[in-house]
Amino acid sequence: MITAVCLNPCIDKMVSIAGFQYGGMNRIITARSDVGGKGVNVAIVAAQLGMESECIGFLRQDNGKIVERKLLTSGTQGDFLWLDGQVRTNIKLLDQATGQVTEINEPGRPVGDEQLSKMVDLVCQHAQDSDFLVLTGSLPPGCPADYYKTLIEAVEGLNCRCVLDAEGERLALGIQARPYLIKPNLYELETVVGRKLESLEDIQKAALGFIDQGIQVVAVSMGDRGALITDGEQTLYAPRVPVEVKSTVGAGDSMVAGLIAGLMAELPLQEVFRKGMACAAASVMLEGTLLPNKATYRQLLTKVAIQTME
């Protein structure tokens, strides 16, 4: 069982514009709305890859049923603490002229101490029957920056491996609790180590620094530059899979699900990495925040080129 924690789910609205004019008139060419939130994405992709998965977190009474229905129709379960208000809306603006996506995200509604305490109990309850607990995405207002650290420490001893995919202070503090796997992108990694990482060797050295702190596996996604993974014994690099990129939204979440699929099958690190890369590539081939399907993912497995780094 994979349990993905989504504390700040959202509705993602992807709009396409021919050429974005800052401060001027912009006409939308296409628009679509999809249920989002990194934990929701991971749970859905995991289910599409054939794994048993669930998503837990906070949901809002006014429109949260949209999220719950999406999970159910995607073959995964949900268990939420229901709160007043609406699920936040995030706008993803695709500039067709440059291919760049600009994200405009709402912060979400605040949560209080009582709700946070109940969430710890809910996470611990589900972690007892889970192989992997995925902690990912933004935190709602009122949630302390070290909350992922709190959750990782709360499930210690439950034989549930924790995966952390966060940024900034949430990542830096969460690492202190020694999750099993972290998956920062390059910018997030640079932010935590406090320096620019220009070469693959620089990135490898930074990743190995987290291995020294007790992390078992570090995977770093680097966009057009591909990705890197290390378990301390070996470091592997894979260039970007050569596919047409339509949207990068959700690619990191798909990579996490793919990596876990390999880990669940107890595969060698190279094959774990291959699954993560293929899943991310299948994601970027789709428009908006659509998530990859199993058939496309399988076709891309043979296109992943993996190199061993010294």
Side-chain angles (χ1 to χ4, degrees), residues 54 257 272 283:
E54 63 182 3
V272 170
S283 174

Side-chain angles (χ1 to χ4, degrees), residues 85-247:
Q86 289 190 337
V87 173
R88 65 196 177 108
T89 298
N90 293 337
I91 297 174
K92 317 292 184 182
L93 192 156
L94 172 62
D95 185 344
Q96 293 184 344
T98 64
Q100 291 186 328
V101 176
T102 299
E103 300 191 31
I104 306 171
N105 294 346
E106 291 184 354
R109 292 177 61 87
V111 293
D113 291 343
E114 181 179 355
Q115 295 157 344
L116 292 172
S117 179
K118 289 181 179 179
M119 181 55 64
V120 172
D121 293 339
L122 183 65
V123 168
C124 289
Q125 174 189 331
H126 283 266
Q128 294 181 45
D129 300 316
S130 295
D131 299 287
F132 284 90
L133 180 73
V134 184
L135 304 157
T136 182
S138 65
L139 299 175
C143 193
D146 66 350
Y147 194 62
Y148 283 146
K149 177 175 180 284
T150 297
L151 293 178
I152 295 170
E153 291 174 341
V155 302
E156 187 175 358
L158 295 181
N159 295 319
C160 178
R161 288 180 279 185
C162 293
V163 176
L164 177 63
D165 182 10
E167 65 179 37
E169 203 174 8
R170 300 190 299 277
L171 175 60
L173 294 171
I175 286 171
Q176 296 176 11
R178 298 184 300 280
Y180 177 81
L181 181 152
I182 61 172
K183 195 224 66 68
N185 61 32
L186 180 55
Y187 171 77
E188 292 162 352
L189 182 63
E190 290 175 334
T191 300
V192 172
V193 301
R195 64 181 185 277
K196 198 74 174 172
L197 301 171
E198 301 289 352
S199 67
L200 284 178
E201 290 71 22
D202 289 339
I203 297 167
Q204 179 186 23
K205 184 177 180 180
L208 288 172
F210 294 114
I211 297 292
D212 292 340
Q213 295 178 42
I215 311 299
Q216 300 297 304
V217 181
V218 178
V220 184
S221 56
M222 301 178 286
D224 287 344
R225 296 175 63 183
L228 175 150
I229 192 169
T230 184
D231 62 0
E233 295 184 5
Q234 58 179 325
T235 300
L236 306 172
Y237 166 73
R240 183 180 73 84
V241 179
V243 297
E244 180 184 2
V245 177
K246 294 184 177 180
S247 173

Side-chain angles (χ1 to χ4, degrees), residues 44-55:
I44 290 174
V45 176
Q48 291 174 340
L49 296 182
M51 294 179 282
E52 187 179 4
S53 69
E54 63 182 3
C55 183

